[in-house]
Amino acid sequence: MNVKLDLLGDRQRTHYCGELRKEHARQTVFLAGWVDVRRDLGNLIFLDLRDHTGRTQIVCNPAISAEVHDKAEEIRAEYVVGVEGEVVVRAPGTVNPQLATGEVEVMARTLLVLNEAKTPPFPIEDETKTSEETRLRYRYLDLRRGRMQRNLRLRHRASEVVRAHLGEHGFQEIETPFMTRSTPEGARDYLVPSRLHHGRFYALPQSPQLFKQLLMIGGFDRYYQIVRCFRDEDLRADRQPEFTQIDIEMAFPQRDVLFDIIERLMEKLFALVDVTVERPFPRMAYDEGMEKYGSDKPHTGFSLEWKRVSLAADALEKVRVAQPIKAMRVPGWSGASRSQLDKLQETTKSLGADWFSYIKVTGPAPQSPLTKALGEPAVAALATSVEAQPGDLVLLLGIKSASSRDAFRMLDNASGELRLDIARKLELLEPGTWNFIWVVDFPMFEYDEKEKRFAAMHHPFTSPREEDLEKLETDPRAVKARAYDLVLNGSEIGGGSIRIHRQDIQRRVFKVLGLSEEQARERFGFFLNALEYGTPPHGGIALGHDRINALMAGESSIREVIAFPKTASAIDMMCDAPAGVEREQLFELGLVHEYEGGSCEECGGQWVFEYETIARGGSFSFAPPEVTCPVGGQRRVVLRYSGRWGAKHMHPTTRQWEVLRQFS
Ligand code: ASP
């Protein structure tokens, strides 16, 4: 690569590469961008010049400029060039209808080669088969692809819509700290060690939850922030260690008012991709979602629904399965093959539901493996309980023995997965459906069978329903929270709650969670103090900006709408982060100790010093600490002291180590 490069000088672009049309004919223009393709027809060389707006064909004709043609011979894909020339209308047979600028081309009079480029590891094209790993390693090239440009520009417009909409409704954008202490979402924290306070750590916020509540206490009335949140979780397919929330909180909230604000926001956001959103969104209680759809984020866009049914008492003697079981009618699938049914059974088993059966409603006598044990009338009754019609298949799902509530939760989850599996098989998920739904009335607590204690299903600052307050101590399982999730096409795109604003209730909730007064103070003391100074009723929500944008852009992975995402194993392929650091940085942060040994001049034994950090240059502003040789009695200054330290001495004859000072 040794092309002579030109300088841009004071040349100014007159147009972008996607702008020129017939009406620009005969104008002299100056375009600049990347060479997308170069076609050398011997006499003529064509360059497709690309920028974020599109492409324009440039003609390098030696009859117009021999210099331009000579330079064009050297040019390769992804070189950065500037072109001055005249716009001409293409001859009828040479119009390119694929290109927005396809009716014109620019006859180059001047060609500036502004920069050369190595051959890129993959072609810069909208559709690519390149592995995601390579794309992420060269993300700056991947970002030049039209698809990434469209996705991130859409995201920018979405952020603008969010800001405008929330601004109109009186919400203030306020930044909250990234270096803080543990927040209540309950995932693992990313920690930042403090150099000035060894042994202490900041935590990166899992969300601004407590800060937004403090802003309500601080009188801001309505807050929002498009904000990064950090959770050190084992990454499931579509998670990122840092992700973006549209975080919202309001004082004196009414759920309906908040829902309306969010629904109108969704309407405006989806209008960006020409989708009409129907308001108001339906609401569904969590319990109903679990029964009918086996999910706390139900996709209700297709009509497969489970129902909990119980077998009659005499049937139970013949079939060993815990009650209730779940039944679902699959319209028109009585022709399901043996192997299809076997596969469904395998799937459900792997999901933890170990009892599976079915009824084929073919004619007057339904066919089912259960007929032998239960008899035809009982099987027919089961089919009727889900209103099965001739031609339908009824699936039955259960667990053989239910030792705990967990088992039924597993059954629900399995039923939900199976439902989605069937919807995919039967192609019931129609593209272009936008199924928004609010899930409400979540249980306040989940019982953790392993730890034998209750945990907050949302977070511990979520308010119980007012009518359930008395049950807090007597029947925590029955308490419902004032929490809600926004679900779109079976994905949770937001979640929030009306919060606890009273100390007494907060204390009672902590008690159910098994948090002692001290533990609660230790974790959230600053917040509990604030609650005592006139906290208004408040509540809010956080929406998943990444997921919403992915859905809007028609992408299945949120990585496609994040400029520099990490892989599923939390690695930044481009910067190669996380990375090692200099040992010195670790010393400074008090994260490692250094050992130093040597013989003791006084007695001929040995010293070992353990230092937290290395004192560097300068002089001590205080008397340096000393240790005394336990054999000869001479003092030795601990020269490299700055931070914690320790010292050991080995006796010259017994060779026994004596700890003179424990590292502390
Ligand atoms: N902070 C919560 C979360 O990130 C959302 C909320 O309650 O507003 O899940």
Side-chain angles (χ1 to χ4, degrees):
M1 292 204 296
N2 43 16
V3 182
K4 194 174 153 294
L5 296 183
D6 300 302
L7 299 173
L8 180 62
D10 56 4
R11 294 221 183 227
Q12 179 63 42
R13 275 183 299 195
T14 57
H15 296 83
Y16 285 119
C17 297
E19 279 181 339
L20 297 180
R21 300 287 183 275
K22 255 182 172 163
E23 54 269 27
H24 296 98
R26 288 186 302 283
Q27 287 186 20
T28 294
V29 297
F30 182 72
L31 304 180
W34 288 268
V35 174
D36 197 56
V37 218
R38 170 180 163 283
R39 287 179 297 276
D40 192 342
L41 305 188
N43 193 25
L44 294 180
I45 296 175
F46 292 93
L47 306 176
D48 278 354
L49 195 60
R50 180 190 72 232
D51 66 15
H52 63 281
T53 63
R55 285 176 291 154
T56 302
Q57 175 161 288
I58 311 292
V59 185
C60 305
N61 183 346
I64 295 177
S65 162
E67 191 195 340
V68 164
H69 188 267
D70 287 351
K71 277 187 178 175
E73 284 191 325
E74 304 297 320
I75 282 174
R76 298 290 173 269
E78 300 313 309
Y79 275 35
V80 183
V81 302
V83 176
E84 190 207 60
E86 191 186 324
V87 181
V88 299
V89 175
R90 293 199 207 181
T94 64
V95 167
N96 180 354
Q98 313 290 348
L99 217 56
T101 61
E103 285 186 309
V104 295
E105 55 197 359
V106 173
M107 295 295 167
R109 269 200 304 260
T110 313
L111 179 61
L112 302 180
V113 183
L114 299 170
N115 215 340
E116 51 196 354
K118 282 195 192 171
T119 306
F122 50 86
I124 312 298
E125 293 166 346
D126 266 24
E127 296 311 320
T128 178
K129 290 205 170 66
T130 309
S131 74
E132 195 181 17
E133 225 170 78
T134 308
R135 288 178 51 208
L136 291 179
R137 194 183 301 279
Y138 297 94
R139 188 57 154 184
Y140 41 88
L141 295 178
D142 190 44
L143 290 174
R144 282 186 201 161
R145 293 169 49 236
R147 183 156 164 187
M148 291 308 295
Q149 288 279 329
R150 278 193 296 280
N151 286 356
L152 291 176
R153 286 168 194 277
L154 174 64
R155 185 176 173 129
H156 161 77
R157 285 192 290 147
S159 299
E160 282 183 330
V161 165
V162 168
R163 293 201 160 93
H165 178 73
L166 294 177
E168 274 164 31
H169 285 85
F171 288 84
Q172 307 293 302
E173 182 164 18
I174 302 177
E175 287 156 89
T176 53
F178 275 176
M179 287 164 65
T180 173
R181 56 183 297 154
S182 206
T183 50
E185 268 71 26
R188 210 176 284 115
D189 288 321
Y190 278 102
L191 298 175
V192 180
S194 158
R195 180 180 61 83
L196 297 176
H197 307 281
H198 285 177
R200 298 220 210 165
F201 295 82
Y202 302 96
L204 301 181
Q206 292 178 30
S207 85
Q209 184 60 35
L210 295 178
F211 291 102
K212 66 175 173 175
Q213 293 192 238
L214 289 162
L215 287 167
M216 296 304 103
I217 301 176
F220 272 93
D221 198 61
R222 288 184 173 193
Y223 142 95
Y224 82 97
Q225 188 182 185
I226 299 182
V227 65
R228 207 68 62 77
C229 302
F230 307 85
R231 297 185 193 177
D232 187 2
E233 291 175 299
D234 293 333
L235 295 187
R236 278 178 262 154
D238 209 20
R239 292 276 173 92
Q240 284 284 302
E242 46 181 319
F243 58 95
T244 306
Q245 283 187 346
I246 304 165
D247 196 40
I248 294 173
E249 195 76 6
M250 64 200 287
F252 307 104
Q254 287 305 336
R255 195 178 71 179
D256 288 351
V257 175
L258 177 67
F259 280 14
D260 187 59
I261 292 171
I262 301 303
E263 290 176 8
R264 285 172 196 275
L265 174 60
M266 291 302 141
E267 185 177 42
K268 288 183 187 168
L269 284 173
F270 280 81
L272 291 175
V273 286
D274 298 324
V275 168
T276 311
V277 165
E278 278 179 40
R279 287 185 297 109
F281 301 164
R283 300 174 191 187
M284 181 182 294
Y286 168 89
D287 287 342
E288 187 184 342
M290 291 311 279
E291 168 165 3
K292 290 189 180 164
Y293 306 98
S295 172
D296 58 0
K297 37 181 189 301
H299 193 327
T300 58
F302 52 93
S303 57
L304 292 180
E305 283 179 18
W306 290 99
K307 188 171 172 186
R308 292 194 185 115
V309 294
S310 290
L311 295 176
D314 57 336
L316 274 180
E317 286 161 22
K318 296 164 198 145
V319 202
R320 272 200 31 239
V321 60
Q323 300 300 297
I325 60 168
K326 294 189 88 169
M328 179 172 75
R329 147 176 191 244
V330 188
W333 208 29
S334 63
S337 70
R338 176 87 235 172
S339 82
Q340 280 173 319
L341 289 163
D342 284 350
K343 262 210 194 102
L344 293 183
Q345 177 159 17
E346 256 166 55
T347 313
T348 49
K349 210 166 184 175
S350 69
L351 292 165
D354 55 4
W355 187 86
F356 175 90
S357 197
Y358 60 88
I359 307 168
K360 287 180 170 181
V361 190
T362 36
Q367 290 174 23
S368 167
L370 291 173
T371 313
K372 216 162 144 200
L374 299 183
E376 225 175 81
V379 170
L382 266 177
T384 314
S385 71
V386 289
E387 286 151 34
Q389 307 294 317
D392 290 353
L393 173 76
V394 176
L395 290 173
L396 302 165
L397 211 58
I399 28 174
K400 284 185 184 147
S401 72
S403 47
S404 66
R405 279 164 194 262
D406 260 4
F408 282 106
R409 175 126 31 92
M410 215 134 79
L411 173 61
D412 276 335
N413 289 341
S415 71
E417 293 292 332
L418 191 65
R419 179 177 173 269
L420 290 176
D421 194 41
I422 293 172
R424 278 188 291 264
K425 275 200 184 88
L426 302 184
E427 294 176 8
L428 303 178
L429 293 155
E430 276 177 41
T433 358
W434 298 94
N435 183 239
F436 283 97
I437 175 166
W438 290 105
V439 178
V440 298
D441 297 339
F442 281 82
M444 179 84 187
F445 306 105
E446 280 175 301
Y447 192 71
D448 187 328
E449 295 279 351
K450 266 191 227 114
E451 305 241 327
K452 301 267 171 273
R453 62 178 184 83
F454 285 104
M457 191 140 172
H458 190 47
H459 53 62
F461 302 102
T462 299
S463 171
R465 275 197 318 206
E466 282 166 3
E467 61 267 39
D468 294 339
L469 278 176
E470 308 103 82
K471 290 186 253 170
L472 262 182
E473 289 78 13
T474 53
D475 190 6
R477 286 181 207 273
V479 178
K480 295 277 193 274
R482 297 173 79 187
Y484 32 77
D485 276 357
L486 181 58
V487 174
L488 171 56
N489 290 356
S491 289
E492 182 197 324
I493 57 168
S497 62
I498 305 298
R499 324 296 179 188
I500 298 171
H501 67 278
R502 276 170 38 185
Q503 259 287 341
D504 55 332
I505 299 174
Q506 188 64 69
R507 216 172 283 136
R508 287 167 63 194
V509 167
F510 279 145
K511 214 159 171 193
V512 181
L513 295 173
L515 271 182
S516 70
E517 189 87 23
E518 298 82 73
Q519 285 167 322
R521 288 250 149 238
E522 156 74 25
R523 282 196 62 194
F524 309 118
F526 67 103
F527 181 73
L528 299 179
N529 288 342
L531 273 187
E532 291 179 59
Y533 289 91
T535 300
H538 61 287
I541 192 167
L543 303 168
H545 202 31
D546 306 303
R547 168 112 318 263
I548 292 173
N549 276 283
L551 286 163
M552 280 168 47
E555 297 287 3
S556 55
S557 162
I558 59 172
R559 293 189 291 275
E560 301 295 338
V561 296
I562 298 175
F564 299 104
K566 297 185 177 51
T567 62
S569 52
I571 293 197
D572 181 327
M573 298 292 295
M574 188 182 64
C575 320
D576 196 16
V581 295
E582 294 290 324
R583 260 188 87 71
E584 233 165 68
Q585 285 175 286
L586 297 178
F587 287 132
E588 278 192 334
L589 293 167
L591 292 178
V592 293
H593 308 152
E594 192 185 38
Y595 292 90
E596 186 188 39
S599 57
C600 175
E601 281 158 28
E602 287 78 23
C603 71
Q606 297 253 322
W607 285 109
V608 166
F609 293 96
E610 186 180 2
Y611 304 99
E612 185 171 30
T613 62
I614 307 168
R616 219 158 281 288
S619 57
F620 289 104
S621 58
F622 49 85
E626 291 178 339
V627 286
T628 307
C629 166
V631 183
Q634 289 91 343
R635 282 156 189 275
R636 183 175 160 150
V637 169
V638 182
L639 267 178
R640 296 172 68 193
Y641 167 74
S642 143
R644 297 181 290 171
W645 62 281
K648 285 196 297 194
H649 183 276
M650 190 183 77
H651 195 278
T653 48
T654 67
R655 308 193 73 76
Q656 293 286 328
W657 284 101
E658 187 179 341
V659 177
L660 301 179
R661 181 181 156 113
Q662 197 76 45
F663 177 85
S664 67

